[in-house]
Amino acid sequence: ETSLKMGKYQLVDIEEKESTRNPAPPFTTSTLQQEASRKIGSSVKQTMLTAQQLYEGNVGNIPGHTGGLITYMRTDAVNLSTLATSMAKKVIEHEYGKEYSLEYPRKYATKSKGAQEAHEAIRPVNLALKPSDIKPYVDNYQYKLYELIWKRTLATQMTPAKVANTIYKIEAGKNKECEFQTKGQRIIFPGFMKAYTEGSDNPESAL
C-alpha cells in the first residue's frame, strides 16, 4: 500500500476487441411473460389477459384496422412467417434506415420437441401498425404489451449490434510492480438495440 502511494499510476496499454451481438428470438408465451414482468411490471395473469384482448381485437376502433392486433398468444414456436419478415424489413427501413435491415431474413428454429410449429411466434398481425398508431384507442396495459411485442419482432430482423470490449492496463507502485486492469464496453453500432434490448430499453445498460 505504501508503495502504491509513492509511485505514479500510468496507463500503459489499451486493448480493444470488437464483438457482435444478435437479438433474442421472437416471443413465445413464456418469454413474453418474463419480459412483460421485467419491463412493464405485469403479472402472468395480467399479461395473458391483455394478450388475449390484443389477439381478439378487443380494443377501441382503430382507424383502418379490424380484427386482432397480435397472433395467437399461446405458442412455444419462435418462427416467423415470410410475410412477417418481409413486413418487418419494410418497417425497419422506414423507421430506422436501411443500415438497420438485413439482406436476408434471420430465421429462428424451435428446439423443444412437440413445439406447436403450426403457430408462429407472438408478433403483431400488421407490423406497419405502430404502437403510436394504436395508443389513443387502447388502455395502458394493451399499449405497453403491444409496444413490447412490436419492438421485439422488429429487433429479430435487424442487424447485429457492434460492441467494443476495452481493457485498460494501469501500472502503479514505486517500482511499477503493480498492475491494475479495468474493463469497459461501448456501442460502436447499436443495430437491433436501437429497437429493443432484453430487460431494459437503454442499450448502454444492457452492456
mmCIF file with all atom_site columns, all heavy atoms in Angstrom, residues 118-145:
data_model
loop_
_atom_site.group_PDB
_atom_site.id
_atom_site.type_symbol
_atom_site.label_atom_id
_atom_site.label_alt_id
_atom_site.label_comp_id
_atom_site.label_asym_id
_atom_site.label_entity_id
_atom_site.label_seq_id
_atom_site.pdbx_PDB_ins_code
_atom_site.Cartn_x
_atom_site.Cartn_y
_atom_site.Cartn_z
_atom_site.occupancy
_atom_site.B_iso_or_equiv
_atom_site.pdbx_formal_charge
_atom_site.auth_seq_id
_atom_site.auth_comp_id
_atom_site.auth_asym_id
_atom_site.auth_atom_id
_atom_site.pdbx_PDB_model_num
ATOM 1   N N   . ALA A 1 118 ? -47.168 -25.167 -36.014 1.00 0.00 ? 118 ALA A N   1
ATOM 2   C CA  . ALA A 1 118 ? -48.289 -24.622 -36.804 1.00 0.00 ? 118 ALA A CA  1
ATOM 3   C C   . ALA A 1 118 ? -48.490 -23.148 -36.460 1.00 0.00 ? 118 ALA A C   1
ATOM 4   O O   . ALA A 1 118 ? -48.932 -22.366 -37.289 1.00 0.00 ? 118 ALA A O   1
ATOM 5   C CB  . ALA A 1 118 ? -49.562 -25.401 -36.505 1.00 0.00 ? 118 ALA A CB  1
ATOM 6   N N   . HIS A 1 119 ? -48.149 -22.792 -35.229 1.00 0.00 ? 119 HIS A N   1
ATOM 7   C CA  . HIS A 1 119 ? -48.252 -21.389 -34.812 1.00 0.00 ? 119 HIS A CA  1
ATOM 8   C C   . HIS A 1 119 ? -46.928 -20.689 -35.068 1.00 0.00 ? 119 HIS A C   1
ATOM 9   O O   . HIS A 1 119 ? -45.877 -21.294 -35.047 1.00 0.00 ? 119 HIS A O   1
ATOM 10  C CB  . HIS A 1 119 ? -48.571 -21.297 -33.314 1.00 0.00 ? 119 HIS A CB  1
ATOM 11  C CG  . HIS A 1 119 ? -49.938 -21.768 -32.977 1.00 0.00 ? 119 HIS A CG  1
ATOM 12  N ND1 . HIS A 1 119 ? -51.073 -21.203 -33.498 1.00 0.00 ? 119 HIS A ND1 1
ATOM 13  C CD2 . HIS A 1 119 ? -50.351 -22.769 -32.156 1.00 0.00 ? 119 HIS A CD2 1
ATOM 14  C CE1 . HIS A 1 119 ? -52.134 -21.835 -33.025 1.00 0.00 ? 119 HIS A CE1 1
ATOM 15  N NE2 . HIS A 1 119 ? -51.722 -22.784 -32.213 1.00 0.00 ? 119 HIS A NE2 1
ATOM 16  N N   . GLU A 1 120 ? -47.033 -19.392 -35.259 1.00 0.00 ? 120 GLU A N   1
ATOM 17  C CA  . GLU A 1 120 ? -45.820 -18.570 -35.298 1.00 0.00 ? 120 GLU A CA  1
ATOM 18  C C   . GLU A 1 120 ? -45.486 -18.142 -33.873 1.00 0.00 ? 120 GLU A C   1
ATOM 19  O O   . GLU A 1 120 ? -46.258 -18.379 -32.939 1.00 0.00 ? 120 GLU A O   1
ATOM 20  C CB  . GLU A 1 120 ? -46.079 -17.300 -36.118 1.00 0.00 ? 120 GLU A CB  1
ATOM 21  C CG  . GLU A 1 120 ? -46.082 -17.481 -37.603 1.00 0.00 ? 120 GLU A CG  1
ATOM 22  C CD  . GLU A 1 120 ? -46.229 -16.132 -38.297 1.00 0.00 ? 120 GLU A CD  1
ATOM 23  O OE1 . GLU A 1 120 ? -45.235 -15.368 -38.344 1.00 0.00 ? 120 GLU A OE1 1
ATOM 24  O OE2 . GLU A 1 120 ? -47.332 -15.831 -38.782 1.00 0.00 ? 120 GLU A OE2 1
ATOM 25  N N   . ALA A 1 121 ? -44.365 -17.455 -33.758 1.00 0.00 ? 121 ALA A N   1
ATOM 26  C CA  . ALA A 1 121 ? -44.078 -16.745 -32.507 1.00 0.00 ? 121 ALA A CA  1
ATOM 27  C C   . ALA A 1 121 ? -45.134 -15.650 -32.351 1.00 0.00 ? 121 ALA A C   1
ATOM 28  O O   . ALA A 1 121 ? -45.887 -15.365 -33.278 1.00 0.00 ? 121 ALA A O   1
ATOM 29  C CB  . ALA A 1 121 ? -42.681 -16.138 -32.585 1.00 0.00 ? 121 ALA A CB  1
ATOM 30  N N   . ILE A 1 122 ? -45.166 -15.027 -31.186 1.00 0.00 ? 122 ILE A N   1
ATOM 31  C CA  . ILE A 1 122 ? -46.127 -13.939 -30.962 1.00 0.00 ? 122 ILE A CA  1
ATOM 32  C C   . ILE A 1 122 ? -45.591 -12.672 -31.641 1.00 0.00 ? 122 ILE A C   1
ATOM 33  O O   . ILE A 1 122 ? -44.475 -12.240 -31.356 1.00 0.00 ? 122 ILE A O   1
ATOM 34  C CB  . ILE A 1 122 ? -46.329 -13.687 -29.448 1.00 0.00 ? 122 ILE A CB  1
ATOM 35  C CG1 . ILE A 1 122 ? -46.784 -14.974 -28.752 1.00 0.00 ? 122 ILE A CG1 1
ATOM 36  C CG2 . ILE A 1 122 ? -47.343 -12.570 -29.223 1.00 0.00 ? 122 ILE A CG2 1
ATOM 37  C CD1 . ILE A 1 122 ? -46.701 -14.920 -27.239 1.00 0.00 ? 122 ILE A CD1 1
ATOM 38  N N   . ARG A 1 123 ? -46.376 -12.132 -32.545 1.00 0.00 ? 123 ARG A N   1
ATOM 39  C CA  . ARG A 1 123 ? -45.965 -10.936 -33.282 1.00 0.00 ? 123 ARG A CA  1
ATOM 40  C C   . ARG A 1 123 ? -47.196 -10.094 -33.621 1.00 0.00 ? 123 ARG A C   1
ATOM 41  O O   . ARG A 1 123 ? -48.320 -10.590 -33.596 1.00 0.00 ? 123 ARG A O   1
ATOM 42  C CB  . ARG A 1 123 ? -45.240 -11.325 -34.571 1.00 0.00 ? 123 ARG A CB  1
ATOM 43  C CG  . ARG A 1 123 ? -46.151 -12.058 -35.568 1.00 0.00 ? 123 ARG A CG  1
ATOM 44  C CD  . ARG A 1 123 ? -45.587 -12.047 -36.969 1.00 0.00 ? 123 ARG A CD  1
ATOM 45  N NE  . ARG A 1 123 ? -46.373 -12.807 -37.918 1.00 0.00 ? 123 ARG A NE  1
ATOM 46  C CZ  . ARG A 1 123 ? -47.384 -12.321 -38.640 1.00 0.00 ? 123 ARG A CZ  1
ATOM 47  N NH1 . ARG A 1 123 ? -47.764 -11.066 -38.484 1.00 0.00 ? 123 ARG A NH1 1
ATOM 48  N NH2 . ARG A 1 123 ? -48.019 -13.094 -39.512 1.00 0.00 ? 123 ARG A NH2 1
ATOM 49  N N   . PRO A 1 124 ? -46.993 -8.821  -33.964 1.00 0.00 ? 124 PRO A N   1
ATOM 50  C CA  . PRO A 1 124 ? -48.132 -8.034  -34.440 1.00 0.00 ? 124 PRO A CA  1
ATOM 51  C C   . PRO A 1 124 ? -48.662 -8.614  -35.754 1.00 0.00 ? 124 PRO A C   1
ATOM 52  O O   . PRO A 1 124 ? -47.879 -9.077  -36.585 1.00 0.00 ? 124 PRO A O   1
ATOM 53  C CB  . PRO A 1 124 ? -47.542 -6.640  -34.671 1.00 0.00 ? 124 PRO A CB  1
ATOM 54  C CG  . PRO A 1 124 ? -46.327 -6.595  -33.807 1.00 0.00 ? 124 PRO A CG  1
ATOM 55  C CD  . PRO A 1 124 ? -45.785 -7.993  -33.827 1.00 0.00 ? 124 PRO A CD  1
ATOM 56  N N   . VAL A 1 125 ? -49.955 -8.577  -35.929 1.00 0.00 ? 125 VAL A N   1
ATOM 57  C CA  . VAL A 1 125 ? -50.556 -9.033  -37.181 1.00 0.00 ? 125 VAL A CA  1
ATOM 58  C C   . VAL A 1 125 ? -50.095 -8.129  -38.319 1.00 0.00 ? 125 VAL A C   1
ATOM 59  O O   . VAL A 1 125 ? -49.745 -8.588  -39.399 1.00 0.00 ? 125 VAL A O   1
ATOM 60  C CB  . VAL A 1 125 ? -52.106 -9.017  -37.069 1.00 0.00 ? 125 VAL A CB  1
ATOM 61  C CG1 . VAL A 1 125 ? -52.764 -9.186  -38.425 1.00 0.00 ? 125 VAL A CG1 1
ATOM 62  C CG2 . VAL A 1 125 ? -52.568 -10.123 -36.126 1.00 0.00 ? 125 VAL A CG2 1
ATOM 63  N N   . ASN A 1 126 ? -50.065 -6.824  -38.051 1.00 0.00 ? 126 ASN A N   1
ATOM 64  C CA  . ASN A 1 126 ? -49.640 -5.850  -39.050 1.00 0.00 ? 126 ASN A CA  1
ATOM 65  C C   . ASN A 1 126 ? -48.541 -4.978  -38.453 1.00 0.00 ? 126 ASN A C   1
ATOM 66  O O   . ASN A 1 126 ? -48.815 -4.070  -37.669 1.00 0.00 ? 126 ASN A O   1
ATOM 67  C CB  . ASN A 1 126 ? -50.842 -4.991  -39.477 1.00 0.00 ? 126 ASN A CB  1
ATOM 68  C CG  . ASN A 1 126 ? -50.442 -3.908  -40.464 1.00 0.00 ? 126 ASN A CG  1
ATOM 69  O OD1 . ASN A 1 126 ? -49.336 -3.897  -40.990 1.00 0.00 ? 126 ASN A OD1 1
ATOM 70  N ND2 . ASN A 1 126 ? -51.346 -2.976  -40.714 1.00 0.00 ? 126 ASN A ND2 1
ATOM 71  N N   . LEU A 1 127 ? -47.293 -5.254  -38.840 1.00 0.00 ? 127 LEU A N   1
ATOM 72  C CA  . LEU A 1 127 ? -46.166 -4.506  -38.268 1.00 0.00 ? 127 LEU A CA  1
ATOM 73  C C   . LEU A 1 127 ? -46.168 -3.029  -38.665 1.00 0.00 ? 127 LEU A C   1
ATOM 74  O O   . LEU A 1 127 ? -45.556 -2.201  -37.998 1.00 0.00 ? 127 LEU A O   1
ATOM 75  C CB  . LEU A 1 127 ? -44.846 -5.160  -38.674 1.00 0.00 ? 127 LEU A CB  1
ATOM 76  C CG  . LEU A 1 127 ? -44.430 -6.344  -37.788 1.00 0.00 ? 127 LEU A CG  1
ATOM 77  C CD1 . LEU A 1 127 ? -43.452 -7.239  -38.497 1.00 0.00 ? 127 LEU A CD1 1
ATOM 78  C CD2 . LEU A 1 127 ? -43.842 -5.851  -36.478 1.00 0.00 ? 127 LEU A CD2 1
ATOM 79  N N   . ALA A 1 128 ? -46.872 -2.710  -39.737 1.00 0.00 ? 128 ALA A N   1
ATOM 80  C CA  . ALA A 1 128 ? -46.964 -1.303  -40.156 1.00 0.00 ? 128 ALA A CA  1
ATOM 81  C C   . ALA A 1 128 ? -47.812 -0.489  -39.177 1.00 0.00 ? 128 ALA A C   1
ATOM 82  O O   . ALA A 1 128 ? -47.762 0.741   -39.170 1.00 0.00 ? 128 ALA A O   1
ATOM 83  C CB  . ALA A 1 128 ? -47.540 -1.215  -41.566 1.00 0.00 ? 128 ALA A CB  1
ATOM 84  N N   . LEU A 1 129 ? -48.572 -1.196  -38.337 1.00 0.00 ? 129 LEU A N   1
ATOM 85  C CA  . LEU A 1 129 ? -49.383 -0.530  -37.311 1.00 0.00 ? 129 LEU A CA  1
ATOM 86  C C   . LEU A 1 129 ? -48.489 -0.295  -36.092 1.00 0.00 ? 129 LEU A C   1
ATOM 87  O O   . LEU A 1 129 ? -48.244 -1.193  -35.288 1.00 0.00 ? 129 LEU A O   1
ATOM 88  C CB  . LEU A 1 129 ? -50.585 -1.413  -36.953 1.00 0.00 ? 129 LEU A CB  1
ATOM 89  C CG  . LEU A 1 129 ? -51.757 -0.757  -36.211 1.00 0.00 ? 129 LEU A CG  1
ATOM 90  C CD1 . LEU A 1 129 ? -52.415 0.327   -37.055 1.00 0.00 ? 129 LEU A CD1 1
ATOM 91  C CD2 . LEU A 1 129 ? -52.781 -1.810  -35.818 1.00 0.00 ? 129 LEU A CD2 1
ATOM 92  N N   . LYS A 1 130 ? -47.990 0.933   -35.983 1.00 0.00 ? 130 LYS A N   1
ATOM 93  C CA  . LYS A 1 130 ? -47.033 1.252   -34.923 1.00 0.00 ? 130 LYS A CA  1
ATOM 94  C C   . LYS A 1 130 ? -47.749 1.421   -33.581 1.00 0.00 ? 130 LYS A C   1
ATOM 95  O O   . LYS A 1 130 ? -48.939 1.760   -33.548 1.00 0.00 ? 130 LYS A O   1
ATOM 96  C CB  . LYS A 1 130 ? -46.291 2.549   -35.258 1.00 0.00 ? 130 LYS A CB  1
ATOM 97  C CG  . LYS A 1 130 ? -45.406 2.442   -36.483 1.00 0.00 ? 130 LYS A CG  1
ATOM 98  C CD  . LYS A 1 130 ? -44.548 3.665   -36.660 1.00 0.00 ? 130 LYS A CD  1
ATOM 99  C CE  . LYS A 1 130 ? -45.362 4.891   -37.016 1.00 0.00 ? 130 LYS A CE  1
ATOM 100 N NZ  . LYS A 1 130 ? -44.522 6.050   -37.364 1.00 0.00 ? 130 LYS A NZ  1
ATOM 101 N N   . PRO A 1 131 ? -47.022 1.233   -32.483 1.00 0.00 ? 131 PRO A N   1
ATOM 102 C CA  . PRO A 1 131 ? -47.626 1.459   -31.161 1.00 0.00 ? 131 PRO A CA  1
ATOM 103 C C   . PRO A 1 131 ? -48.273 2.838   -31.038 1.00 0.00 ? 131 PRO A C   1
ATOM 104 O O   . PRO A 1 131 ? -49.359 2.977   -30.485 1.00 0.00 ? 131 PRO A O   1
ATOM 105 C CB  . PRO A 1 131 ? -46.437 1.305   -30.205 1.00 0.00 ? 131 PRO A CB  1
ATOM 106 C CG  . PRO A 1 131 ? -45.514 0.374   -30.907 1.00 0.00 ? 131 PRO A CG  1
ATOM 107 C CD  . PRO A 1 131 ? -45.645 0.699   -32.363 1.00 0.00 ? 131 PRO A CD  1
ATOM 108 N N   . SER A 1 132 ? -47.632 3.854   -31.616 1.00 0.00 ? 132 SER A N   1
ATOM 109 C CA  . SER A 1 132 ? -48.191 5.216   -31.533 1.00 0.00 ? 132 SER A CA  1
ATOM 110 C C   . SER A 1 132 ? -49.529 5.335   -32.278 1.00 0.00 ? 132 SER A C   1
ATOM 111 O O   . SER A 1 132 ? -50.370 6.159   -31.930 1.00 0.00 ? 132 SER A O   1
ATOM 112 C CB  . SER A 1 132 ? -47.191 6.242   -32.081 1.00 0.00 ? 132 SER A CB  1
ATOM 113 O OG  . SER A 1 132 ? -46.832 5.906   -33.415 1.00 0.00 ? 132 SER A OG  1
ATOM 114 N N   . ASP A 1 133 ? -49.715 4.480   -33.303 1.00 0.00 ? 133 ASP A N   1
ATOM 115 C CA  . ASP A 1 133 ? -50.975 4.497   -34.068 1.00 0.00 ? 133 ASP A CA  1
ATOM 116 C C   . ASP A 1 133 ? -52.154 3.990   -33.246 1.00 0.00 ? 133 ASP A C   1
ATOM 117 O O   . ASP A 1 133 ? -53.287 4.414   -33.445 1.00 0.00 ? 133 ASP A O   1
ATOM 118 C CB  . ASP A 1 133 ? -50.862 3.615   -35.329 1.00 0.00 ? 133 ASP A CB  1
ATOM 119 C CG  . ASP A 1 133 ? -49.823 4.119   -36.317 1.00 0.00 ? 133 ASP A CG  1
ATOM 120 O OD1 . ASP A 1 133 ? -49.580 5.339   -36.343 1.00 0.00 ? 133 ASP A OD1 1
ATOM 121 O OD2 . ASP A 1 133 ? -49.253 3.291   -37.056 1.00 0.00 ? 133 ASP A OD2 1
ATOM 122 N N   . ILE A 1 134 ? -51.871 3.046   -32.340 1.00 0.00 ? 134 ILE A N   1
ATOM 123 C CA  . ILE A 1 134 ? -52.974 2.436   -31.580 1.00 0.00 ? 134 ILE A CA  1
ATOM 124 C C   . ILE A 1 134 ? -53.185 3.091   -30.212 1.00 0.00 ? 134 ILE A C   1
ATOM 125 O O   . ILE A 1 134 ? -54.207 2.880   -29.579 1.00 0.00 ? 134 ILE A O   1
ATOM 126 C CB  . ILE A 1 134 ? -52.788 0.902   -31.408 1.00 0.00 ? 134 ILE A CB  1
ATOM 127 C CG1 . ILE A 1 134 ? -51.661 0.587   -30.409 1.00 0.00 ? 134 ILE A CG1 1
ATOM 128 C CG2 . ILE A 1 134 ? -52.548 0.208   -32.735 1.00 0.00 ? 134 ILE A CG2 1
ATOM 129 C CD1 . ILE A 1 134 ? -51.727 -0.809  -29.831 1.00 0.00 ? 134 ILE A CD1 1
ATOM 130 N N   . LYS A 1 135 ? -52.203 3.876   -29.781 1.00 0.00 ? 135 LYS A N   1
ATOM 131 C CA  . LYS A 1 135 ? -52.215 4.407   -28.409 1.00 0.00 ? 135 LYS A CA  1
ATOM 132 C C   . LYS A 1 135 ? -53.537 5.081   -28.006 1.00 0.00 ? 135 LYS A C   1
ATOM 133 O O   . LYS A 1 135 ? -54.043 4.843   -26.911 1.00 0.00 ? 135 LYS A O   1
ATOM 134 C CB  . LYS A 1 135 ? -51.037 5.362   -28.190 1.00 0.00 ? 135 LYS A CB  1
ATOM 135 C CG  . LYS A 1 135 ? -50.809 5.667   -26.715 1.00 0.00 ? 135 LYS A CG  1
ATOM 136 C CD  . LYS A 1 135 ? -49.521 6.437   -26.474 1.00 0.00 ? 135 LYS A CD  1
ATOM 137 C CE  . LYS A 1 135 ? -49.287 6.576   -24.974 1.00 0.00 ? 135 LYS A CE  1
ATOM 138 N NZ  . LYS A 1 135 ? -48.031 7.282   -24.672 1.00 0.00 ? 135 LYS A NZ  1
ATOM 139 N N   . PRO A 1 136 ? -54.144 5.912   -28.869 1.00 0.00 ? 136 PRO A N   1
ATOM 140 C CA  . PRO A 1 136 ? -55.383 6.590   -28.444 1.00 0.00 ? 136 PRO A CA  1
ATOM 141 C C   . PRO A 1 136 ? -56.587 5.643   -28.292 1.00 0.00 ? 136 PRO A C   1
ATOM 142 O O   . PRO A 1 136 ? -57.597 6.032   -27.718 1.00 0.00 ? 136 PRO A O   1
ATOM 143 C CB  . PRO A 1 136 ? -55.645 7.594   -29.580 1.00 0.00 ? 136 PRO A CB  1
ATOM 144 C CG  . PRO A 1 136 ? -54.383 7.657   -30.372 1.00 0.00 ? 136 PRO A CG  1
ATOM 145 C CD  . PRO A 1 136 ? -53.718 6.342   -30.206 1.00 0.00 ? 136 PRO A CD  1
ATOM 146 N N   . TYR A 1 137 ? -56.466 4.417   -28.793 1.00 0.00 ? 137 TYR A N   1
ATOM 147 C CA  . TYR A 1 137 ? -57.635 3.529   -28.850 1.00 0.00 ? 137 TYR A CA  1
ATOM 148 C C   . TYR A 1 137 ? -57.547 2.318   -27.917 1.00 0.00 ? 137 TYR A C   1
ATOM 149 O O   . TYR A 1 137 ? -58.410 1.456   -27.930 1.00 0.00 ? 137 TYR A O   1
ATOM 150 C CB  . TYR A 1 137 ? -57.832 3.033   -30.294 1.00 0.00 ? 137 TYR A CB  1
ATOM 151 C CG  . TYR A 1 137 ? -57.794 4.167   -31.280 1.00 0.00 ? 137 TYR A CG  1
ATOM 152 C CD1 . TYR A 1 137 ? -56.629 4.449   -32.007 1.00 0.00 ? 137 TYR A CD1 1
ATOM 153 C CD2 . TYR A 1 137 ? -58.897 4.999   -31.457 1.00 0.00 ? 137 TYR A CD2 1
ATOM 154 C CE1 . TYR A 1 137 ? -56.576 5.518   -32.886 1.00 0.00 ? 137 TYR A CE1 1
ATOM 155 C CE2 . TYR A 1 137 ? -58.852 6.076   -32.344 1.00 0.00 ? 137 TYR A CE2 1
ATOM 156 C CZ  . TYR A 1 137 ? -57.693 6.331   -33.051 1.00 0.00 ? 137 TYR A CZ  1
ATOM 157 O OH  . TYR A 1 137 ? -57.644 7.396   -33.916 1.00 0.00 ? 137 TYR A OH  1
ATOM 158 N N   . VAL A 1 138 ? -56.468 2.251   -27.135 1.00 0.00 ? 138 VAL A N   1
ATOM 159 C CA  . VAL A 1 138 ? -56.271 1.096   -26.239 1.00 0.00 ? 138 VAL A CA  1
ATOM 160 C C   . VAL A 1 138 ? -55.961 1.580   -24.826 1.00 0.00 ? 138 VAL A C   1
ATOM 161 O O   . VAL A 1 138 ? -55.624 2.749   -24.625 1.00 0.00 ? 138 VAL A O   1
ATOM 162 C CB  . VAL A 1 138 ? -55.111 0.189   -26.745 1.00 0.00 ? 138 VAL A CB  1
ATOM 163 C CG1 . VAL A 1 138 ? -55.435 -0.410  -28.112 1.00 0.00 ? 138 VAL A CG1 1
ATOM 164 C CG2 . VAL A 1 138 ? -53.784 0.951   -26.808 1.00 0.00 ? 138 VAL A CG2 1
ATOM 165 N N   . ASP A 1 139 ? -56.064 0.665   -23.852 1.00 0.00 ? 139 ASP A N   1
ATOM 166 C CA  . ASP A 1 139 ? -55.701 1.071   -22.493 1.00 0.00 ? 139 ASP A CA  1
ATOM 167 C C   . ASP A 1 139 ? -54.180 0.958   -22.305 1.00 0.00 ? 139 ASP A C   1
ATOM 168 O O   . ASP A 1 139 ? -53.461 0.467   -23.189 1.00 0.00 ? 139 ASP A O   1
ATOM 169 C CB  . ASP A 1 139 ? -56.502 0.291   -21.434 1.00 0.00 ? 139 ASP A CB  1
ATOM 170 C CG  . ASP A 1 139 ? -56.129 -1.186  -21.339 1.00 0.00 ? 139 ASP A CG  1
ATOM 171 O OD1 . ASP A 1 139 ? -54.966 -1.550  -21.611 1.00 0.00 ? 139 ASP A OD1 1
ATOM 172 O OD2 . ASP A 1 139 ? -57.020 -1.995  -20.981 1.00 0.00 ? 139 ASP A OD2 1
ATOM 173 N N   . ASN A 1 140 ? -53.701 1.398   -21.161 1.00 0.00 ? 140 ASN A N   1
ATOM 174 C CA  . ASN A 1 140 ? -52.259 1.492   -20.932 1.00 0.00 ? 140 ASN A CA  1
ATOM 175 C C   . ASN A 1 140 ? -51.545 0.142   -21.021 1.00 0.00 ? 140 ASN A C   1
ATOM 176 O O   . ASN A 1 140 ? -50.485 0.031   -21.626 1.00 0.00 ? 140 ASN A O   1
ATOM 177 C CB  . ASN A 1 140 ? -52.006 2.139   -19.562 1.00 0.00 ? 140 ASN A CB  1
ATOM 178 C CG  . ASN A 1 140 ? -50.565 2.625   -19.441 1.00 0.00 ? 140 ASN A CG  1
ATOM 179 O OD1 . ASN A 1 140 ? -49.985 3.106   -20.406 1.00 0.00 ? 140 ASN A OD1 1
ATOM 180 N ND2 . ASN A 1 140 ? -49.992 2.469   -18.259 1.00 0.00 ? 140 ASN A ND2 1
ATOM 181 N N   . TYR A 1 141 ? -52.133 -0.906  -20.427 1.00 0.00 ? 141 TYR A N   1
ATOM 182 C CA  . TYR A 1 141 ? -51.527 -2.243  -20.484 1.00 0.00 ? 141 TYR A CA  1
ATOM 183 C C   . TYR A 1 141 ? -51.485 -2.765  -21.918 1.00 0.00 ? 141 TYR A C   1
ATOM 184 O O   . TYR A 1 141 ? -50.500 -3.350  -22.352 1.00 0.00 ? 141 TYR A O   1
ATOM 185 C CB  . TYR A 1 141 ? -52.308 -3.232  -19.601 1.00 0.00 ? 141 TYR A CB  1
ATOM 186 C CG  . TYR A 1 141 ? -51.707 -3.397  -18.228 1.00 0.00 ? 141 TYR A CG  1
ATOM 187 C CD1 . TYR A 1 141 ? -52.437 -3.095  -17.078 1.00 0.00 ? 141 TYR A CD1 1
ATOM 188 C CD2 . TYR A 1 141 ? -50.409 -3.881  -18.068 1.00 0.00 ? 141 TYR A CD2 1
ATOM 189 C CE1 . TYR A 1 141 ? -51.881 -3.249  -15.805 1.00 0.00 ? 141 TYR A CE1 1
ATOM 190 C CE2 . TYR A 1 141 ? -49.851 -4.039  -16.801 1.00 0.00 ? 141 TYR A CE2 1
ATOM 191 C CZ  . TYR A 1 141 ? -50.593 -3.726  -15.674 1.00 0.00 ? 141 TYR A CZ  1
ATOM 192 O OH  . TYR A 1 141 ? -50.042 -3.888  -14.427 1.00 0.00 ? 141 TYR A OH  1
ATOM 193 N N   . GLN A 1 142 ? -52.576 -2.553  -22.640 1.00 0.00 ? 142 GLN A N   1
ATOM 194 C CA  . GLN A 1 142 ? -52.635 -3.024  -24.032 1.00 0.00 ? 142 GLN A CA  1
ATOM 195 C C   . GLN A 1 142 ? -51.564 -2.328  -24.876 1.00 0.00 ? 142 GLN A C   1
ATOM 196 O O   . GLN A 1 142 ? -50.871 -2.966  -25.664 1.00 0.00 ? 142 GLN A O   1
ATOM 197 C CB  . GLN A 1 142 ? -54.030 -2.749  -24.616 1.00 0.00 ? 142 GLN A CB  1
ATOM 198 C CG  . GLN A 1 142 ? -55.120 -3.633  -24.025 1.00 0.00 ? 142 GLN A CG  1
ATOM 199 C CD  . GLN A 1 142 ? -56.519 -3.156  -24.395 1.00 0.00 ? 142 GLN A CD  1
ATOM 200 O OE1 . GLN A 1 142 ? -56.712 -2.020  -24.824 1.00 0.00 ? 142 GLN A OE1 1
ATOM 201 N NE2 . GLN A 1 142 ? -57.504 -4.020  -24.210 1.00 0.00 ? 142 GLN A NE2 1
ATOM 202 N N   . TYR A 1 143 ? -51.434 -1.031  -24.655 1.00 0.00 ? 143 TYR A N   1
ATOM 203 C CA  . TYR A 1 143 ? -50.427 -0.269  -25.396 1.00 0.00 ? 143 TYR A CA  1
ATOM 204 C C   . TYR A 1 143 ? -49.014 -0.778  -25.081 1.00 0.00 ? 143 TYR A C   1
ATOM 205 O O   . TYR A 1 143 ? -48.218 -1.027  -25.987 1.00 0.00 ? 143 TYR A O   1
ATOM 206 C CB  . TYR A 1 143 ? -50.530 1.223   -25.048 1.00 0.00 ? 143 TYR A CB  1
ATOM 207 C CG  . TYR A 1 143 ? -49.354 2.033   -25.545 1.00 0.00 ? 143 TYR A CG  1
ATOM 208 C CD1 . TYR A 1 143 ? -49.198 2.313   -26.902 1.00 0.00 ? 143 TYR A CD1 1
ATOM 209 C CD2 . TYR A 1 143 ? -48.375 2.484   -24.649 1.00 0.00 ? 143 TYR A CD2 1
ATOM 210 C CE1 . TYR A 1 143 ? -48.101 3.034   -27.360 1.00 0.00 ? 143 TYR A CE1 1
ATOM 211 C CE2 . TYR A 1 143 ? -47.280 3.202   -25.109 1.00 0.00 ? 143 TYR A CE2 1
ATOM 212 C CZ  . TYR A 1 143 ? -47.147 3.478   -26.459 1.00 0.00 ? 143 TYR A CZ  1
ATOM 213 O OH  . TYR A 1 143 ? -46.060 4.177   -26.918 1.00 0.00 ? 143 TYR A OH  1
ATOM 214 N N   . LYS A 1 144 ? -48.720 -0.926  -23.793 1.00 0.00 ? 144 LYS A N   1
ATOM 215 C CA  . LYS A 1 144 ? -47.365 -1.331  -23.392 1.00 0.00 ? 144 LYS A CA  1
ATOM 216 C C   . LYS A 1 144 ? -47.006 -2.733  -23.873 1.00 0.00 ? 144 LYS A C   1
ATOM 217 O O   . LYS A 1 144 ? -45.881 -2.995  -24.286 1.00 0.00 ? 144 LYS A O   1
ATOM 218 C CB  . LYS A 1 144 ? -47.210 -1.237  -21.865 1.00 0.00 ? 144 LYS A CB  1
ATOM 219 C CG  . LYS A 1 144 ? -47.079 0.195   -21.381 1.00 0.00 ? 144 LYS A CG  1
ATOM 220 C CD  . LYS A 1 144 ? -46.808 0.247   -19.891 1.00 0.00 ? 144 LYS A CD  1
ATOM 221 C CE  . LYS A 1 144 ? -46.461 1.661   -19.451 1.00 0.00 ? 144 LYS A CE  1
ATOM 222 N NZ  . LYS A 1 144 ? -46.226 1.737   -18.001 1.00 0.00 ? 144 LYS A NZ  1
ATOM 223 N N   . LEU A 1 145 ? -47.991 -3.634  -23.826 1.00 0.00 ? 145 LEU A N   1
ATOM 224 C CA  . LEU A 1 145 ? -47.723 -5.004  -24.265 1.00 0.00 ? 145 LEU A CA  1
ATOM 225 C C   . LEU A 1 145 ? -47.560 -5.061  -25.788 1.00 0.00 ? 145 LEU A C   1
ATOM 226 O O   . LEU A 1 145 ? -46.669 -5.739  -26.301 1.00 0.00 ? 145 LEU A O   1
ATOM 227 C CB  . LEU A 1 145 ? -48.836 -5.959  -23.812 1.00 0.00 ? 145 LEU A CB  1
ATOM 228 C CG  . LEU A 1 145 ? -48.461 -7.448  -23.879 1.00 0.00 ? 145 LEU A CG  1
ATOM 229 C CD1 . LEU A 1 145 ? -47.357 -7.781  -22.876 1.00 0.00 ? 145 LEU A CD1 1
ATOM 230 C CD2 . LEU A 1 145 ? -49.668 -8.337  -23.614 1.00 0.00 ? 145 LEU A CD2 1
#
